[in-house]
Amino acid sequence: MTIADRMNEKLTSALAPQRLSITDDSHKHEGHSGWKQGGQTHFRVEIVSQQFSGKSRVERQRMIYALLADELAESVHALQLKTLAPSEDTRR
């Protein structure tokens, strides 16, 4: 199972997202700090969940970081987040 698969499983289970996109952007960071051969070090996550309603951007990010603590400790060097409540999602 890839890191992205694990992240998808954890975020889906905990946040029941209406939309979730996880993109491995590691290839864009080759040679930079934290990059490793084979990728799975730099990710972009866009998630829409009712769980984010009424929460600040920082609270939402803390939720994600807590859920993905193992992946961040293991191999994920960078995580770009876009966290939205359903009412904020313009792509509905």
Side-chain angles (χ1 to χ4, degrees), residues 32-69:
H32 297 171
S33 177
W35 180 84
K36 295 177 186 169
Q37 186 68 34
Q40 299 194 77
T41 57
H42 295 71
F43 289 91
R44 181 171 21 99
V45 174
E46 185 170 331
I47 182 169
V48 178
S49 173
Q50 186 63 42
Q51 299 284 340
F52 297 142
S53 294
K55 294 195 173 27
S56 71
R57 181 179 55 86
V58 172
E59 289 172 313
R60 295 171 185 189
Q61 290 178 351
R62 285 181 179 155
M63 291 170 69
I64 301 290
Y65 292 143
L67 290 168
L68 303 180

Side-chain angles (χ1 to χ4, degrees), residues 1-5 7-8 21-30 34-46 75-80:
M1 178 179 288
T2 67
I3 297 292
D5 291 338
M7 290 169 45
N8 188 310
S21 171
I22 300 173
T23 306
D24 185 347
D25 282 339
S26 301
H27 65 283
K28 295 179 181 179
H29 302 275
E30 186 172 347
W35 180 84
K36 295 177 186 169
Q37 186 68 34
Q40 299 194 77
T41 57
H42 295 71
F43 289 91
R44 181 171 21 99
V45 174
E46 185 170 331
S75 65
V76 175
H77 174 74
L79 192 58
Q80 178 184 350

